[in-house]
Amino acid sequence: MITLENICKIYDRGRVEALRGVSLTVSRGDYLSVTGASGSGKTTLMHILGLLDAPTSGRYLLDGEDVSQLPPEERARLRGQAVGFVFQSFRLLQDLTALENAALPLAFQGVPERVRLARARELLEAVGLAGREGHRPKALSGGQQQRVAIARALATGPRLLLADEPTAGLDPEAASGVLALFDRLHKSGHTLILITHDPKAAARAARRASICAGKLKEEPHDQTGQDQLLP
Ligand SMILES: Nc1ncnc2c1ncn2[C@@H]1O[C@H](COP(=O)(O)OP(=O)(O)OP(=O)(O)O)[C@@H](O)[C@H]1O
Ligand SMILES: [Mg+2]
């Protein structure tokens, strides 16, 4: 589904080489984690994978289409259809209810209100928030807010779900709830990329990569892991 070939990203007129020749393939249904120290290039990689930014050089193929140098409007249009994002800080709109937040990406796509609220209701139920539809973010715990954000990320049925430090602001119990939800999404066929500082969170993913000073390295597959035993 995704092929990155020798992706470089240079900021600040050449003063910062954030990514230095990253190559990666991701197939539909993969669950990949990316760890790395602060400043190693994780968020830069997420921005490129998620079509928020373009690489300075290298090729990015998304389902066979070269999206490396799309004009910004086209990149934004494709992003809206193809990618769901989850951020550390949830980024929910405080004046909207959980249901309205989860439905928001569909409003941008012009989906009728009745349809988008029904879809958002299903998604909130799927992330374990049935009964919380009418609550505003302030009335929800951090873990619940993050699950609303995950429902929102799934609203448009994206091909790829990208999460940048989704558990960093959560207590251990809430974090483990979010990771359990990712496990379920993976099992149901979603394609997930999880960016995290936390080695324990990273270990949940079937594929693990780390990034160091802008270079990405994937760990060999664990042949004895449970993942291999699942159908
Ligand atoms: N817009 C920008 N302009 C200039 N430099 C940038 C920009 N964004 C990131 N950088 C630099 O690129 C490098 C990689 O940054 P990035 O945000 O990708 O790291 P990260 O791995 O996500 O770090 P953290 O774990 O702290 O979130 C850093 O040296 C950073 O200072
Ligand atoms: Mg970052």
Side-chain angles (χ1 to χ4, degrees), residues 29-110:
D30 275 355
Y31 182 8
L32 170 75
S33 63
V34 180
T35 50
S38 185
S40 58
K42 301 182 298 295
T43 296
T44 302
L45 178 63
M46 176 191 181
H47 284 179
I48 289 172
L49 283 167
L51 302 166
L52 283 163
D53 202 355
T56 309
S57 64
R59 266 198 343 152
Y60 177 5
L61 301 176
L62 180 59
D63 288 322
E65 182 191 358
D66 190 341
V67 296
S68 332
Q69 299 301 331
L70 287 179
E73 323 76 64
E74 266 184 63
R75 194 166 58 231
R77 187 187 49 74
L78 184 58
R79 177 172 71 236
Q81 302 168 356
V83 191
F85 292 96
V86 180
F87 301 98
Q88 176 177 347
S89 55
F90 322 137
R91 302 199 190 176
L92 299 175
L93 296 186
Q94 298 301 318
D95 294 336
L96 300 186
T97 63
L99 189 69
E100 290 161 346
N101 267 291
L104 198 59
L106 296 171
F108 293 129
Q109 294 193 345

Side-chain angles (χ1 to χ4, degrees), residues 53-201:
D53 202 355
T56 309
S57 64
R59 266 198 343 152
Y60 177 5
L61 301 176
L62 180 59
D63 288 322
E65 182 191 358
D66 190 341
V67 296
S68 332
Q69 299 301 331
L70 287 179
E73 323 76 64
E74 266 184 63
R75 194 166 58 231
R77 187 187 49 74
L78 184 58
R79 177 172 71 236
Q81 302 168 356
V83 191
F85 292 96
V86 180
F87 301 98
Q88 176 177 347
S89 55
F90 322 137
R91 302 199 190 176
L92 299 175
L93 296 186
Q94 298 301 318
D95 294 336
L96 300 186
T97 63
L99 189 69
E100 290 161 346
N101 267 291
L104 198 59
L106 296 171
F108 293 129
Q109 294 193 345
V111 174
E113 188 176 24
R114 199 176 46 80
V115 178
R116 64 181 194 252
L117 293 182
R119 166 87 176 139
R121 200 175 292 281
E122 267 173 35
L123 285 165
L124 287 179
E125 195 182 335
V127 301
L129 289 175
R132 302 293 180 142
E133 293 85 354
H135 292 226
R136 293 200 159 68
K138 271 202 183 65
L140 298 169
S141 72
Q144 290 169 336
Q145 290 184 59
Q146 192 59 298
R147 284 184 280 140
V148 173
I150 294 167
R152 178 186 58 188
L154 295 170
T156 59
R159 283 178 252 175
L160 172 65
L161 189 65
L162 273 175
D164 193 358
E165 302 283 2
T167 58
L170 302 177
D171 64 56
E173 198 180 328
S176 99
V178 164
L179 293 173
L181 175 57
F182 285 153
D183 290 346
R184 286 210 303 281
L185 293 172
H186 172 51
K187 290 216 171 82
S188 67
H190 286 274
T191 309
L192 300 171
I193 299 182
L194 168 65
I195 288 171
T196 180
H197 272 103
D198 176 6
K200 273 209 205 119

